[in-house]
Amino acid sequence: MKDPVVRLQHVARAYRTGAVTIPAIRDISLDIAPRVFTVIVGPSGSGKTTLLNMVGCIDLPDSGQIAVSGQDVLALSDNTLADFRARHIGYVFQAFNLIPVLSAFENVEYPLLLLDIPAAERRRKVLAMLAAVGLEAQANQRPNELSGGQKQRVAIARALVKEPALVLADEPTANLDSVTGAAIIALMRQMQESFHTSFIFSTHDERLMKEADQTFTIRDGMLVP
Ligand SMILES: Nc1ncnc2c1ncn2[C@@H]1O[C@H](COP(=O)(O)OP(=O)(O)OP(=O)(O)O)[C@@H](O)[C@H]1O
Ligand SMILES: [Mg+2]
């Protein structure tokens, strides 16, 4: 394999709620190939979101090592880590995580504001991305005025707009009808081919599983060989 885009070594993460400890990821080591579609499958509760959150640098493991694009992310300070994430990682959250007071346009624009991109260029990129996901007409609507599938498409547009090297997408087609789902998969494939983006998906969607260049199955927080 070319240098992996993500390398996990003996990563473990448990959630502690009161006296109860839930081992979500027990001991996972894996290398994710760059510039391809990697799919993570596994039953509900197997640890997919927990894993993606750690790769996305929004959660830390209790133990183990995580390297993203060769960078040991656990060695970075909070500020450097936030900057690294803003520049290199796009994240499509399972629950979308759109900002409720912002319109669709403003939600997609937000990551570009963090990167100090000038207004005219921001506008051009946001409009192009909203068109790519078929939401030109909804640009001024807020999340509570959008359907589930439309919110999901805003979340996808927000993750892709800065053309990050790595996109993590947690069930990105779960709420989409088959035509829109296929269009979104085609859009991501096109990005991967044009910009050599690395994509990591969790999914239950057969169509997306079929697109995988590399597949990992997890169960009870462990890789299934
Ligand atoms: N914030 C949390 N606090 C406590 N337990 C959690 C938390 N988040 C997840 N868990 C537990 O960790 C385990 C893994 O959850 P995770 O969300 O990673 O699974 P998943 O594979 O993404 O599931 P799904 O397919 O339903 O999205 C589950 O047992 C879950 O109940
Ligand atoms: Mg999940």
Side-chain angles (χ1 to χ4, degrees), residues 2-21:
K2 287 177 258 176
D3 284 346
V5 62
V6 172
R7 167 166 282 179
L8 304 185
Q9 290 171 287
H10 298 297
V11 167
R13 170 78 169 94
Y15 295 104
R16 285 165 204 86
T17 44
V20 185
T21 298

Side-chain angles (χ1 to χ4, degrees), residues 17-224:
T17 44
V20 185
T21 298
I22 301 161
I25 296 293
R26 292 166 192 271
D27 179 0
I28 289 190
S29 299
L30 52 77
D31 281 355
I32 293 182
R35 305 174 169 202
V36 297
F37 277 13
T38 298
V39 168
I40 296 171
V41 297
S44 179
S46 58
K48 301 180 297 295
T49 297
T50 304
L51 188 70
L52 286 178
N53 286 345
M54 292 189 287
V55 173
C57 308
I58 50 182
D59 189 19
L60 297 173
D62 298 324
S63 57
Q65 299 292 320
I66 301 179
V68 177
S69 302
Q71 170 67 55
D72 172 4
V73 298
L74 302 174
L76 299 176
S77 69
D78 286 356
N79 280 341
T80 324
L81 188 62
D83 186 64
F84 179 82
R85 192 171 59 223
R87 279 177 204 291
H88 301 297
I89 303 175
Y91 202 135
V92 183
F93 294 93
Q94 189 166 20
F96 315 137
N97 295 12
L98 300 177
I99 302 170
V101 296
L102 300 183
S103 68
F105 182 100
E106 291 162 338
N107 266 284
V108 177
E109 183 183 34
Y110 189 71
L112 302 179
L113 285 169
L114 296 181
L115 296 177
D116 289 329
I117 293 178
E121 190 184 342
R122 286 202 308 268
R123 185 174 168 73
R124 185 175 57 70
K125 283 178 187 276
V126 173
L127 291 177
M129 197 47 79
L130 286 174
V133 298
L135 288 178
E136 297 113 310
Q138 286 77 26
N140 296 319
Q141 289 168 229
R142 291 186 179 177
N144 68 355
E145 299 162 339
L146 296 169
S147 72
Q150 289 170 335
K151 278 187 265 216
Q152 188 146 28
R153 283 184 277 158
V154 174
I156 290 166
R158 180 180 60 179
L160 302 188
V161 73
K162 62 187 181 188
E163 294 164 14
L166 173 62
V167 174
L168 309 172
D170 202 357
E171 303 270 5
T173 55
N175 296 282
L176 304 179
D177 63 81
S178 62
V179 173
T180 310
I184 292 291
I185 293 170
L187 172 71
M188 295 190 288
R189 185 59 88 179
Q190 193 191 327
M191 250 193 88
Q192 180 241 326
E193 284 167 0
S194 314
F195 303 118
H196 306 298
T197 312
S198 306
F199 282 87
I200 307 174
F201 306 106
S202 83
T203 197
H204 292 105
D205 180 345
E206 297 282 347
R207 266 176 338 219
L208 193 48
M209 285 182 209
K210 279 200 218 115
E211 290 284 332
D213 301 303
Q214 181 183 32
T215 303
F216 294 102
T217 305
I218 61 174
R219 184 170 304 134
D220 296 331
M222 299 282 282
L223 274 184
V224 180

